[in-house]
Amino acid sequence: MITVTRETENSDPSLVWICHHKRRTIVLSGSHLQTSNQLENPDSQHEWTRMYDCKKFNIGIAVGRRGTLGRNRPLHANLTTFSASFLLLLSNSNHSIRYVAELYRHSRSSRQPTLLLPVRLNSSLLMLTNSVHETIPHGAHGRAKFISDDLVAGWALNANWSGFKMPTSLERKLESALQSRLSRSTLRRVEEPHPSTLIDFSSNDYLSLSSDPRVRERFLQILKESESILGSGGSRLLDGNTPTHYNLERRLQSFFGAPAALLFNSGFDANVSIFTTLPQPGDFILIDELIHASVWDGIRSSRASSSIRKFKHNSIVSLKDQINSIIAANDGVRNGDNSIFVAVETLYSMDGDFAPLREIVEAVENSLPKGNGHVIVDEAHATGIYGPQGRGMVALLGLEDRVTVRLHTFGKAMGSNGAIVLASPLIRSYLCNYARPLVFSTALSHSSIISIGCSFDMLENGVAEELAEALQRVGRRFLLTLIPALRSIPPYLLSLPESLLAGSLREDSLISPIIPILTTLPRPLAASLQKRGYLARPITYPTVPKGQERVRVCMHAKNTDQEVDGLAEALITWAKEQGIAGHPEAKL
């Protein structure tokens, strides 16, 4: 029999229990846990076998006293959220152990399923362990239906449990950070993928080149004829500078009409390299507030990291204000000795809107007439889709000679991987010497280089242009179907950004393949779409700012009219199922 007494003379505001189980004494409190093999003189310090700091080791306290856990009584807890690393239940009754397991399973009826798994240690000890290191939902202790009076439940540590390893300081800190994200519904996961028959409205394969049989046939043909397929042999500065790599670089330099070109393993590596190396001491960096994370990582490591400023998204007024503020306060910029770098994307990946690129370039040129203003343009989501032969928005607007650096990536519409930086020979040489992701990374494999070349074959032979036209058509069809139906839907359930509404109805307007469906319920909406056969993913904080949650829809050239119409219908049907369609005054 387990006996329980309460230590009443204790200044600790948390509950303190002394549990006597056979010849074992366990003291539970809000700050410490002690175990002793002797019932006599439990206060004798030399007889305590172990003493654990509950806060240090992430041990919570949630205990039930004998006689108080009767029918329909809640399991007492002085923690509102169970977030400790482990839970041990001491009991001399199998019935009690079985009950506790059911008690925690009971919480599955809540919106958040229980994540604890029962593991039997011995006949009187049960551990509920969190196998995926996540916080138990608030209220997971539930209410009892049947329970024996001899149950004592607590967050505790069995000092004689051989094989238990106390988490290290690093493990506690990492788990605490992950649990914090879980509690805020911001925990990310990379889990085992499962084959899907869902219609793709999620991937960034905008031109559907990754599944195009013409690209596949061309790729396999060249692989068969190529002497080198696997690996590259080293970095570009060593044995990775093969004729295959060099020839592709020269081909892309000519294709884009650039003074020089330099291959990178990814757009992320390229952006980090550009912004880590090019800004010099005394320079300033102005970035659109929605710029990609890779730019942020680069500028934080740059020699101008203390001179970073943001301007409001796509706002020329805000950009000019920031430039003028820097000029007014800095003699070096005013006399042309120091530079201002302006970082923008031509098409933004989460909002699906285009930068006013011509106006940005003109604002920089007019404000900095000494030539110390440098616009760096990321064309990651525009490559292959816009401009002559898919050369991007810079080429479409004829701004090739007025921007300092262009970045094109191959992992999206091009259906491959890697990136190319287009700049002057001087900048290319500087990157070759100082860009650490280039200097210290093995170059792209031969098979990747061949894949990139096959994708550009499609740009040059006109196939990609046909696909880009099909992409524009299905995107416009989707918007023209959805926009009228949204008039009867409360905007907090479904809405589109104003930037998409403004030009989507004009025949001559460019349609973005990225269409964010703004909603306060991104996860339920995405789940509903998947049940109806459509794959579109929820995008939440911290990927987008709080209050701007959405389901991001990505159009593809191979999406059919039937698929596009079905997606629009599924969105409206979901909104109507909420029971408030047509009533803008309704609230969640």
Side-chain angles (χ1 to χ4, degrees):
M1 176 68 69
I2 298 175
T3 59
V4 181
T5 59
R6 180 173 180 181
E7 193 67 48
T8 56
E9 296 180 2
N10 191 289
S11 59
D12 194 318
S14 302
L15 294 176
V16 178
W17 303 93
I18 299 177
C19 309
H20 305 290
H21 180 216
K22 297 181 180 179
R23 290 190 60 79
R24 184 162 197 72
T25 301
I26 295 180
V27 178
L28 300 169
S29 76
S31 59
H32 289 86
L33 177 152
Q34 296 172 312
T35 66
S36 173
N37 290 326
Q38 303 295 326
L39 292 178
E40 295 78 20
N41 300 319
D43 293 328
S44 177
Q45 186 173 1
H46 71 276
E47 293 189 359
W48 293 104
T49 58
R50 300 276 180 92
M51 182 172 180
Y52 299 101
D53 185 326
C54 296
K55 295 178 181 177
K56 179 179 179 182
F57 295 118
N58 198 22
I59 304 172
I61 303 300
V63 301
R65 186 175 60 177
R66 182 178 183 273
T68 65
L69 296 175
R71 185 186 299 270
N72 294 326
R73 292 180 180 271
L75 177 65
H76 177 76
N78 67 339
L79 294 179
T80 58
T81 301
F82 296 119
S83 59
S85 298
F86 43 82
L87 168 61
L88 300 184
L89 303 167
L90 280 79
S91 173
N92 59 5
S93 165
N94 285 333
H95 173 74
S96 299
I97 291 176
R98 286 195 302 270
Y99 162 72
V100 173
E102 291 299 322
L103 185 67
Y104 279 84
R105 291 192 188 102
H106 175 69
S107 69
R108 290 181 177 175
S109 60
S110 64
R111 291 185 178 180
Q112 298 182 7
T114 298
L115 298 171
L116 293 186
L117 303 175
V119 177
R120 175 66 61 83
L121 299 181
N122 56 51
S123 60
S124 62
L125 193 60
L126 178 81
M127 178 175 69
L128 296 185
T129 178
N130 190 338
S131 63
V132 288
H133 308 290
E134 296 185 354
T135 305
I136 309 172
H138 172 59
H141 48 286
R143 282 184 173 271
K145 292 183 178 179
F146 300 99
I147 189 168
S148 60
D149 287 341
D150 62 351
L151 173 68
V152 176
W155 297 91
L157 182 68
N158 178 11
N160 284 345
W161 178 24
S162 61
F164 177 80
K165 181 182 178 182
M166 188 63 71
T168 66
S169 173
L170 174 62
E171 290 170 337
R172 292 194 303 273
K173 292 173 182 178
L174 298 182
E175 184 170 348
S176 176
L178 292 175
Q179 289 177 347
S180 174
R181 281 209 160 185
L182 178 70
S183 66
R184 293 179 281 117
S185 299
T186 61
L187 184 69
R188 298 183 175 111
R189 300 176 179 87
V190 177
E191 300 175 329
E192 179 183 1
H194 299 285
S196 175
T197 58
L198 300 177
I199 299 170
D200 181 17
F201 284 103
S202 176
S203 76
N204 56 22
D205 183 24
Y206 306 127
L207 295 180
S208 304
L209 283 179
S210 68
S211 59
D212 193 295
R214 292 165 292 189
V215 180
R216 177 184 175 87
E217 181 180 354
R218 175 68 173 157
F219 177 64
L220 294 177
Q221 177 188 350
I222 297 178
L223 278 182
K224 186 177 180 179
E225 299 171 355
S226 177
E227 294 182 0
S228 301
I229 297 176
L230 303 176
S232 62
S235 75
R236 288 297 304 283
L237 300 185
L238 297 175
D239 296 301
N241 189 33
T242 70
T244 305
H245 292 73
Y246 187 82
N247 290 337
L248 176 65
E249 215 168 55
R250 300 286 74 76
R251 175 187 178 184
L252 297 184
Q253 174 186 337
S254 175
F255 177 81
F256 286 106
L262 185 61
L263 281 170
F264 280 84
N265 287 3
S266 70
F268 200 107
D269 280 357
N271 266 329
V272 169
S273 297
I274 292 166
F275 289 97
T276 299
T277 60
L278 294 189
Q280 305 295 307
D283 290 346
F284 288 81
I285 305 173
L286 284 179
I287 59 173
D288 186 288
E289 62 183 350
L290 298 186
I291 202 71
H292 192 264
S294 57
V295 175
W296 273 109
D297 281 12
I299 61 179
R300 285 168 177 157
S301 300
S302 77
R303 285 173 287 180
S305 59
S306 61
S307 303
I308 302 168
R309 299 192 184 184
K310 296 186 293 185
F311 60 92
K312 294 180 180 179
H313 179 54
N314 281 348
S315 171
I316 302 301
V317 172
S318 178
L319 173 62
K320 289 180 178 179
D321 287 346
Q322 289 288 359
I323 293 175
N324 292 334
S325 175
I326 294 171
I327 292 173
N330 191 277
D331 291 337
V333 173
R334 191 164 50 250
N335 61 32
D337 291 336
N338 297 117
S339 301
I340 296 179
F341 292 84
V342 178
V344 297
E345 301 176 38
T346 51
L347 175 60
Y348 286 87
S349 62
M350 290 299 154
D351 283 50
D353 55 351
F354 298 93
L357 194 58
R358 187 186 301 279
E359 291 82 356
I360 289 172
V361 170
E362 290 175 350
V364 172
E365 290 176 341
N366 293 336
S367 300
L368 299 163
K370 296 184 180 296
N372 55 333
H374 303 283
V375 179
I376 300 178
V377 181
D378 186 338
E379 295 251 40
H381 292 270
T383 304
I385 304 175
Y386 306 102
Q389 292 186 303
R391 292 188 179 96
M393 295 298 297
V394 172
L396 178 66
L397 298 173
L399 300 173
E400 296 96 323
D401 297 330
R402 298 170 66 182
V403 300
T404 302
V405 178
R406 285 182 279 165
L407 169 63
H408 291 270
T409 67
F410 314 135
K412 300 173 178 62
M414 303 303 292
S416 185
N417 65 301
I420 192 84
V421 169
L422 308 174
S424 67
L426 177 62
I427 289 177
R428 182 183 187 277
S429 178
Y430 193 82
L431 290 174
C432 286
N433 282 272
Y434 293 99
R436 296 174 69 84
L438 175 78
V439 175
F440 298 107
S441 291
T442 297
L444 290 164
S445 68
H446 285 94
S447 58
S448 292
I449 297 297
I450 293 171
S451 171
I452 295 168
C454 291
S455 294
F456 275 89
D457 288 343
M458 300 299 110
L459 266 62
E460 291 180 329
N461 66 15
V463 169
E465 185 176 358
E466 295 175 0
L467 295 174
E469 291 175 356
L471 178 62
Q472 290 285 298
R473 185 183 60 79
V474 295
R476 190 183 306 278
R477 181 184 182 94
F478 176 71
L479 290 172
L480 292 177
T481 302
L482 185 62
I483 289 174
L486 289 178
R487 295 169 185 157
S488 63
I489 305 297
Y492 60 84
L493 273 181
L494 292 179
S495 64
L496 291 171
E498 289 296 326
S499 59
L500 294 186
L501 293 173
S504 59
L505 299 180
R506 297 199 313 267
E507 285 294 331
D508 60 342
S509 62
L510 291 178
I511 301 298
S512 168
I514 304 165
I515 302 173
I517 309 298
L518 304 179
T519 176
T520 56
L521 301 171
R523 288 187 175 88
L525 174 54
S528 175
L529 293 176
Q530 291 183 24
K531 289 180 180 179
R532 291 176 166 86
Y534 303 99
L535 180 60
R537 301 190 187 277
I539 307 295
T540 61
Y541 176 84
T543 305
V544 294
K546 291 181 179 179
Q548 298 184 31
E549 292 79 10
R550 64 201 63 187
V551 168
R552 185 175 67 166
V553 170
C554 292
M555 292 288 159
H556 308 98
K558 294 296 180 66
N559 284 135
T560 66
D561 291 349
Q562 182 180 3
E563 291 171 348
V564 168
D565 294 345
L567 175 63
E569 182 180 356
L571 288 166
I572 300 303
T573 299
W574 173 82
K576 290 181 178 179
E577 286 175 352
Q578 308 310 302
I580 52 177
H583 302 282
E585 72 280 6
K587 296 182 179 180
L588 288 174

